[in-house]
Amino acid sequence: VCIHRVRSCSSVRFIKSKYVCVFDKSALKFSHQQRLFRTSAVSCGQIVQFKLSDIGEGITEVTVKEWYIKEGDSVSQFDSICEVQSDKASVTITSRYDGVIRKLHYSIDDIAFVGKPLVDIEIDASKGVAPEEDVVETPPMSHEEHTHQEIKGHKTLATPAVRRLAMENNIKLSEVVGTGKDNRILKEDILNYLAKQTGAILPPSPKAEIVPPPRKTETVPAAPKDKARKIPLPVSRPIAFSGKDKTEPVTGFQKAMVKTMSAALKIPHFGYCDEIDLSQLVQLREELKPLAELRGVKLSFMPFFIKAASLGLLQYPILNASLDENCQNVTYKASHNIGVAMDTEQGLIVPNVKNVQVCSVFDIAVELNRLQSLGSAGQLGTSDLTGGTFTLSNIGTIGGTYAKPVILPPEVAIGALGKIQVLPRFNGKGEVFKAQIMNVSWSADHRIIDGATMARFSNLWKSYLENPASMLLDLK
């Protein structure tokens, strides 16, 4: 009789030449020490507690919004693990290791703290572990083969939605060429890559070529048709009367608003208001809208407002400056990072368009489209929400005419734009005509900005918008 195989179960099998006998292991007594052998592969892995690192801007805690992995999944370096939201932005956390997820330390909507473990990842012990990570001992476990997305040597910029699309189609992001800002991979890049692999025919990217303006066969109307009066719609969500008070913690973007507005109270504000006749700009936008749509971009009035503000800041750089806490030094910002206040489901957010001084009106429109899409999905990054130097708030999209905007520190000026109204005005001959009137309300830091400077800047900004062709003289 010889032992053919010993299994780690409740019975031991003995193989004989003619028959097989099965005995209970507990009934066997050996006078000498036996060695048991496993037939399955045994790993010598270690579990690393992957901690939430400092994501900057003084953020100490975040809310876990979505997990992209689950326990038992294999991950590679730079693969997305989860999406977290701070009081400033949404951030996608990526893995530092190749390994297998063994534990998730938080559930959806839990508060995660910087420096605390997010997940436990089992890695190959032979590859070594970073000294700043905590290693937890783990019993031997059998390895299984997993297929996973691998990105070699560099970090790929892509939104979670794009990463999910690539994963569903088994596409490696490292093989896709990004056409977005800073080589960011867009949805169109994934679709174009997939089309090349499958032979499908997709329409060309709208920004790949510039389409010349079509010939005009009819005259452009002097003024747009009067819009019907809009009636505010009721809130779609049902109102529940519980009869009890409810207390909720201040979190997310609302928490950031509390902090920012508390700091803004230290600034002595002064206001300045004026009205702008946008009749020529309204007509120009109507002519350019079809061209922008052919390039896949929605053209609003805001790109013109932003570009005109940048041209004005070149003449009055004090409005694009910041004052230190001790009020001893003024820093004049070289870049015009103009913020745009947006009303989202997460609350008020103010992303900014970077380097407007070197952007065309169309470039600004493209960037605004991107920021609005990410803002609606709650996926704006920290870089989109920080570094602003000047802000415009378009309260007119909701229906306001005048406002008293509050400065966003460390900025020193902000403007609130009212709705565009068709109102009667007099021309130089004393004749009444229809005019497209918009009101603007400026707030400035009175410690370093005087009323005359604010008025001169507003007049210059106003002249650019009332005569859009005049911007051509100063565009670079």
Side-chain angles (χ1 to χ4, degrees):
V1 179
C2 64
I3 298 178
H4 177 68
R5 179 179 297 176
V6 181
R7 295 183 181 273
S8 58
C9 53
S10 61
S11 63
V12 180
R13 297 178 182 269
F14 290 86
I15 309 299
K16 299 185 71 175
S17 59
K18 294 183 179 180
Y19 60 91
V20 176
C21 295
V22 179
F23 298 93
D24 184 69
K25 187 172 67 173
S26 60
L28 297 177
K29 294 183 179 180
F30 297 95
S31 58
H32 57 281
Q33 186 177 5
Q34 302 290 328
R35 296 185 65 185
L36 300 180
F37 298 92
R38 285 180 178 267
T39 58
S40 59
V42 180
S43 71
C44 55
Q46 289 180 327
I47 287 185
V48 174
Q49 289 188 332
F50 179 62
K51 296 179 180 180
L52 177 63
S53 59
D54 185 7
I55 57 180
E57 300 295 325
I59 297 172
T60 59
E61 62 182 41
V62 295
T63 303
V64 179
K65 304 303 295 183
E66 184 178 0
W67 286 105
Y68 300 124
I69 45 87
K70 61 182 180 299
E71 294 182 1
D73 285 355
S74 290
V75 294
S76 300
Q77 293 185 43
F78 305 117
D79 278 358
S80 297
I81 292 181
C82 65
E83 181 181 351
V84 298
Q85 185 180 74
S86 68
D87 57 358
K88 297 181 182 294
S90 295
V91 180
T92 300
I93 305 299
T94 57
S95 175
R96 291 178 53 192
Y97 305 103
D98 298 335
V100 180
I101 302 298
R102 291 306 178 194
K103 182 180 179 181
L104 306 181
H105 286 269
Y106 300 98
S107 301
I108 301 296
D109 292 331
D110 283 354
I111 302 297
F113 297 92
V114 172
K116 299 297 182 181
L118 269 179
V119 296
D120 290 351
I121 304 178
E122 181 187 356
I123 65 172
D124 188 351
S126 62
K127 296 181 179 179
V129 182
E132 65 271 16
E133 300 292 346
D134 297 332
V135 180
V136 181
E137 293 184 359
T138 176
M141 298 183 64
S142 60
H143 274 310
E144 297 179 358
E145 292 185 358
H146 295 271
T147 58
H148 51 75
Q149 181 178 332
E150 183 178 359
I151 302 175
K152 300 179 180 179
H154 67 281
K155 184 175 181 179
T156 305
L157 296 178
T159 62
V162 173
R163 292 182 182 275
R164 188 179 298 111
L165 179 63
M167 187 179 302
E168 290 173 353
N169 292 277
N170 198 24
I171 297 175
K172 295 181 180 180
L173 292 180
S174 59
E175 298 178 354
V176 181
V177 178
T179 60
K181 185 177 181 181
D182 297 328
N183 297 323
R184 182 184 295 272
I185 297 178
L186 307 177
K187 179 181 178 181
E188 291 78 9
D189 300 329
I190 298 294
L191 296 178
N192 290 333
Y193 179 87
L194 186 62
K196 293 178 182 179
Q197 300 297 320
T198 59
I201 300 177
L202 296 179
S205 177
K207 57 184 179 181
E209 56 179 337
I210 299 177
V211 182
R215 294 183 179 179
K216 294 181 182 179
T217 56
E218 57 183 2
T219 59
V220 180
K225 296 180 181 179
D226 295 338
K227 296 182 179 178
R229 185 176 180 181
K230 295 182 179 179
I231 300 177
L233 298 176
V235 179
S236 59
R237 291 173 294 182
I239 302 176
F241 296 97
S242 61
K244 297 181 180 179
D245 296 342
K246 184 173 66 173
T247 302
E248 295 180 349
V250 178
T251 59
F253 295 117
Q254 191 177 27
K255 189 173 183 179
M257 186 186 298
V258 171
K259 181 179 178 181
T260 304
M261 293 299 101
S262 297
L265 286 177
K266 302 177 183 179
I267 300 175
H269 289 57
F270 84 89
Y272 178 84
C273 300
D274 200 358
E275 71 172 31
I276 298 94
D277 183 359
L278 299 180
S279 300
Q280 293 188 34
L281 182 60
V282 169
Q283 183 176 349
L284 176 63
R285 174 177 171 265
E286 289 298 320
E287 295 176 2
L288 297 180
K289 272 179 61 178
L291 302 180
E293 291 175 356
L294 289 175
R295 303 186 193 184
V297 176
K298 180 181 179 181
L299 181 63
S300 64
F301 289 104
M302 185 57 71
F304 297 97
F305 299 154
I306 291 175
K307 188 60 184 179
S310 177
L311 294 176
L313 293 176
L314 291 174
Q315 302 296 326
Y316 300 96
I318 187 63
L319 297 175
N320 195 59
S322 64
L323 184 65
D324 64 2
E325 294 182 358
N326 298 325
C327 299
Q328 299 296 320
N329 299 289
V330 178
T331 302
Y332 294 87
K333 304 293 185 178
S335 298
H336 296 172
N337 300 337
I338 299 182
V340 180
M342 293 183 181
D343 180 34
T344 67
E345 295 182 357
Q346 292 79 26
L348 177 66
I349 57 177
V350 189
N352 57 83
V353 181
K354 298 289 194 298
N355 298 311
V356 177
Q357 75 279 2
V358 295
C359 293
S360 66
V361 173
F362 182 76
D363 294 335
I364 298 171
V366 172
E367 182 66 3
L368 279 178
N369 282 199
R370 184 186 72 86
L371 294 175
Q372 289 169 348
S373 298
L374 294 179
S376 300
Q379 296 178 350
L380 285 168
T382 305
S383 61
D384 296 324
L385 294 168
T386 56
T389 61
F390 187 87
T391 299
L392 291 177
S393 177
N394 190 7
I395 193 65
T397 56
I398 301 177
T401 305
Y402 296 95
K404 187 179 179 181
V406 180
I407 299 170
L408 299 175
E411 300 174 18
V412 295
I414 184 174
L417 312 176
K419 62 182 179 182
I420 301 175
Q421 305 176 87
V422 179
L423 299 174
R425 290 295 183 266
F426 290 95
N427 59 19
K429 299 179 180 180
E431 301 170 343
V432 178
F433 68 99
K434 288 183 178 180
Q436 302 280 345
I437 301 299
M438 182 189 73
N439 296 99
V440 60
S441 305
W442 302 103
S443 290
D445 188 340
H446 216 340
R447 294 174 297 181
I448 60 174
I449 300 173
D450 55 70
T453 301
M454 190 74 252
R456 292 188 181 100
F457 167 82
S458 181
N459 290 337
L460 180 58
W461 181 76
K462 174 181 178 179
S463 67
Y464 284 132
L465 298 179
E466 291 188 339
N467 303 282
S470 65
M471 286 195 289
L472 296 175
L473 298 176
D474 297 323
L475 290 177
K476 296 181 179 180

